[in-house]
Short mmCIF file of all heavy atoms in Angstrom, two decimals:
data_model
loop_
_atom_site.label_atom_id
_atom_site.label_comp_id
_atom_site.label_asym_id
_atom_site.label_seq_id
_atom_site.Cartn_x
_atom_site.Cartn_y
_atom_site.Cartn_z
N VAL Z 903 0.33 -13.74 -57.24
CA VAL Z 903 1.57 -13.78 -58.04
C VAL Z 903 1.26 -14.59 -59.30
O VAL Z 903 0.79 -15.72 -59.22
CB VAL Z 903 2.71 -14.44 -57.25
CG1 VAL Z 903 3.97 -14.50 -58.10
CG2 VAL Z 903 2.95 -13.68 -55.95
N LEU Z 904 1.48 -14.02 -60.43
CA LEU Z 904 1.10 -14.66 -61.70
C LEU Z 904 2.28 -15.39 -62.32
O LEU Z 904 3.41 -14.94 -62.21
CB LEU Z 904 0.57 -13.60 -62.66
CG LEU Z 904 -0.67 -12.84 -62.15
CD1 LEU Z 904 -0.96 -11.65 -63.03
CD2 LEU Z 904 -1.86 -13.78 -62.08
N HIS Z 905 1.98 -16.50 -62.95
CA HIS Z 905 3.02 -17.27 -63.64
C HIS Z 905 3.21 -16.68 -65.02
O HIS Z 905 2.67 -17.17 -65.99
CB HIS Z 905 2.58 -18.75 -63.77
CG HIS Z 905 2.44 -19.42 -62.44
ND1 HIS Z 905 2.81 -20.72 -62.22
CD2 HIS Z 905 2.00 -18.98 -61.24
CE1 HIS Z 905 2.58 -21.04 -60.96
NE2 HIS Z 905 2.09 -19.98 -60.36
N GLY Z 906 3.87 -15.58 -65.09
CA GLY Z 906 4.10 -14.96 -66.39
C GLY Z 906 2.87 -14.22 -66.88
O GLY Z 906 1.79 -14.30 -66.28
N ALA Z 907 3.02 -13.50 -67.98
CA ALA Z 907 1.96 -12.65 -68.49
C ALA Z 907 0.76 -13.45 -68.99
O ALA Z 907 -0.36 -12.94 -69.08
CB ALA Z 907 2.50 -11.76 -69.61
N SER Z 908 0.99 -14.75 -69.32
CA SER Z 908 -0.09 -15.53 -69.93
C SER Z 908 -0.88 -16.34 -68.91
O SER Z 908 -1.75 -17.11 -69.28
CB SER Z 908 0.50 -16.48 -70.97
OG SER Z 908 1.45 -17.32 -70.33
N ASP Z 909 -0.58 -16.17 -67.61
CA ASP Z 909 -1.30 -16.92 -66.57
C ASP Z 909 -2.80 -16.63 -66.66
O ASP Z 909 -3.22 -15.48 -66.59
CB ASP Z 909 -0.76 -16.49 -65.20
CG ASP Z 909 -1.28 -17.38 -64.08
OD1 ASP Z 909 -2.44 -17.82 -64.15
OD2 ASP Z 909 -0.51 -17.61 -63.12
N PRO Z 910 -3.62 -17.66 -66.77
CA PRO Z 910 -5.06 -17.43 -66.95
C PRO Z 910 -5.71 -16.77 -65.72
O PRO Z 910 -6.72 -16.11 -65.84
CB PRO Z 910 -5.61 -18.84 -67.17
CG PRO Z 910 -4.58 -19.76 -66.63
CD PRO Z 910 -3.26 -19.07 -66.81
N ARG Z 911 -5.12 -16.96 -64.54
CA ARG Z 911 -5.70 -16.35 -63.35
C ARG Z 911 -5.66 -14.82 -63.44
O ARG Z 911 -6.41 -14.12 -62.77
CB ARG Z 911 -4.94 -16.79 -62.10
CG ARG Z 911 -5.23 -18.23 -61.71
CD ARG Z 911 -4.48 -18.59 -60.46
NE ARG Z 911 -3.06 -18.37 -60.65
CZ ARG Z 911 -2.19 -18.22 -59.65
NH1 ARG Z 911 -2.61 -18.24 -58.41
NH2 ARG Z 911 -0.91 -18.04 -59.90
N GLY Z 912 -4.75 -14.35 -64.26
CA GLY Z 912 -4.61 -12.91 -64.39
C GLY Z 912 -5.78 -12.26 -65.11
O GLY Z 912 -6.00 -11.05 -64.98
N ASP Z 913 -6.57 -13.04 -65.84
CA ASP Z 913 -7.64 -12.45 -66.62
C ASP Z 913 -8.67 -11.74 -65.75
O ASP Z 913 -9.25 -10.73 -66.13
CB ASP Z 913 -8.33 -13.54 -67.46
CG ASP Z 913 -7.33 -14.18 -68.41
OD1 ASP Z 913 -6.26 -13.56 -68.60
OD2 ASP Z 913 -7.62 -15.27 -68.93
N ALA Z 914 -8.90 -12.32 -64.53
CA ALA Z 914 -9.93 -11.75 -63.66
C ALA Z 914 -9.42 -10.52 -62.91
O ALA Z 914 -10.18 -9.83 -62.26
CB ALA Z 914 -10.43 -12.79 -62.67
N LEU Z 915 -8.14 -10.28 -62.96
CA LEU Z 915 -7.56 -9.21 -62.16
C LEU Z 915 -7.39 -7.96 -63.01
O LEU Z 915 -6.68 -7.99 -64.02
CB LEU Z 915 -6.21 -9.65 -61.59
CG LEU Z 915 -6.25 -10.96 -60.80
CD1 LEU Z 915 -4.84 -11.37 -60.38
CD2 LEU Z 915 -7.16 -10.85 -59.60
N ASP Z 916 -8.06 -6.89 -62.62
CA ASP Z 916 -7.99 -5.71 -63.47
C ASP Z 916 -6.82 -4.78 -63.12
O ASP Z 916 -6.69 -3.71 -63.68
CB ASP Z 916 -9.33 -4.95 -63.47
CG ASP Z 916 -9.96 -4.94 -62.10
OD1 ASP Z 916 -9.27 -5.28 -61.14
OD2 ASP Z 916 -11.16 -4.59 -61.99
N ASN Z 917 -6.00 -5.19 -62.14
CA ASN Z 917 -4.76 -4.45 -61.89
C ASN Z 917 -3.61 -5.43 -62.03
O ASN Z 917 -3.57 -6.45 -61.34
CB ASN Z 917 -4.73 -3.88 -60.47
CG ASN Z 917 -5.69 -2.72 -60.30
OD1 ASN Z 917 -5.57 -1.72 -61.00
ND2 ASN Z 917 -6.65 -2.88 -59.40
N ARG Z 918 -2.69 -5.16 -62.95
CA ARG Z 918 -1.53 -6.06 -63.12
C ARG Z 918 -0.28 -5.22 -63.24
O ARG Z 918 -0.23 -4.26 -63.99
CB ARG Z 918 -1.73 -6.92 -64.36
CG ARG Z 918 -2.93 -7.83 -64.23
CD ARG Z 918 -3.12 -8.62 -65.48
NE ARG Z 918 -1.97 -9.47 -65.73
CZ ARG Z 918 -2.05 -10.60 -66.42
NH1 ARG Z 918 -3.20 -10.99 -66.91
NH2 ARG Z 918 -0.98 -11.32 -66.63
N PHE Z 919 0.73 -5.60 -62.48
CA PHE Z 919 1.99 -4.84 -62.52
C PHE Z 919 3.15 -5.81 -62.42
O PHE Z 919 3.03 -6.91 -61.88
CB PHE Z 919 2.07 -3.87 -61.33
CG PHE Z 919 1.00 -2.83 -61.35
CD1 PHE Z 919 -0.17 -2.99 -60.61
CD2 PHE Z 919 1.16 -1.68 -62.13
CE1 PHE Z 919 -1.16 -2.04 -60.65
CE2 PHE Z 919 0.16 -0.73 -62.16
CZ PHE Z 919 -1.02 -0.90 -61.41
N SER Z 920 4.27 -5.37 -62.95
CA SER Z 920 5.47 -6.17 -62.73
C SER Z 920 6.15 -5.67 -61.46
O SER Z 920 6.07 -4.49 -61.13
CB SER Z 920 6.41 -6.07 -63.93
OG SER Z 920 6.64 -4.72 -64.24
N ALA Z 921 6.80 -6.61 -60.76
CA ALA Z 921 7.37 -6.27 -59.46
C ALA Z 921 8.70 -6.98 -59.29
O ALA Z 921 9.04 -7.87 -60.06
CB ALA Z 921 6.42 -6.69 -58.34
N LYS Z 922 9.43 -6.56 -58.25
CA LYS Z 922 10.71 -7.19 -57.97
C LYS Z 922 10.73 -7.65 -56.52
O LYS Z 922 10.36 -6.90 -55.63
CB LYS Z 922 11.83 -6.17 -58.21
CG LYS Z 922 13.20 -6.78 -58.16
CD LYS Z 922 14.25 -5.76 -58.55
CE LYS Z 922 15.64 -6.40 -58.44
NZ LYS Z 922 16.69 -5.39 -58.55
N VAL Z 923 11.12 -8.92 -56.31
CA VAL Z 923 11.14 -9.47 -54.96
C VAL Z 923 12.30 -8.86 -54.17
O VAL Z 923 13.43 -8.84 -54.65
CB VAL Z 923 11.27 -11.00 -55.00
CG1 VAL Z 923 11.36 -11.57 -53.59
CG2 VAL Z 923 10.11 -11.61 -55.76
N GLN Z 924 12.02 -8.35 -52.97
CA GLN Z 924 13.06 -7.74 -52.14
C GLN Z 924 13.53 -8.70 -51.05
O GLN Z 924 14.71 -8.76 -50.74
CB GLN Z 924 12.50 -6.49 -51.45
CG GLN Z 924 11.92 -5.46 -52.39
CD GLN Z 924 13.00 -4.65 -53.05
OE1 GLN Z 924 14.08 -4.50 -52.52
NE2 GLN Z 924 12.73 -4.14 -54.24
N GLU Z 925 12.59 -9.41 -50.50
CA GLU Z 925 12.92 -10.21 -49.31
C GLU Z 925 11.85 -11.27 -49.14
O GLU Z 925 10.67 -11.00 -49.37
CB GLU Z 925 12.92 -9.28 -48.08
CG GLU Z 925 13.42 -9.90 -46.81
CD GLU Z 925 13.33 -8.93 -45.63
OE1 GLU Z 925 12.80 -7.81 -45.80
OE2 GLU Z 925 13.77 -9.30 -44.55
N VAL Z 926 12.26 -12.47 -48.72
CA VAL Z 926 11.29 -13.52 -48.47
C VAL Z 926 11.44 -13.99 -47.03
O VAL Z 926 12.54 -14.30 -46.59
CB VAL Z 926 11.51 -14.72 -49.44
CG1 VAL Z 926 10.47 -15.80 -49.17
CG2 VAL Z 926 11.45 -14.25 -50.89
N ILE Z 927 10.34 -13.99 -46.30
CA ILE Z 927 10.39 -14.46 -44.91
C ILE Z 927 9.55 -15.71 -44.80
O ILE Z 927 8.37 -15.74 -45.15
CB ILE Z 927 9.87 -13.39 -43.95
CG1 ILE Z 927 10.71 -12.12 -44.08
CG2 ILE Z 927 9.90 -13.89 -42.51
CD1 ILE Z 927 10.06 -10.91 -43.49
#
Side-chain angles (χ1 to χ4, degrees):
Chain Z
V903 179
L904 300 169
H905 296 218
S908 58
D909 190 324
R911 286 181 304 160
D913 299 344
L915 306 175
D916 39 13
N917 288 301
R918 297 178 61 154
F919 297 97
S920 52
K922 189 174 178 191
V923 177
Q924 305 282 334
E925 188 183 4
V926 181
I927 301 163

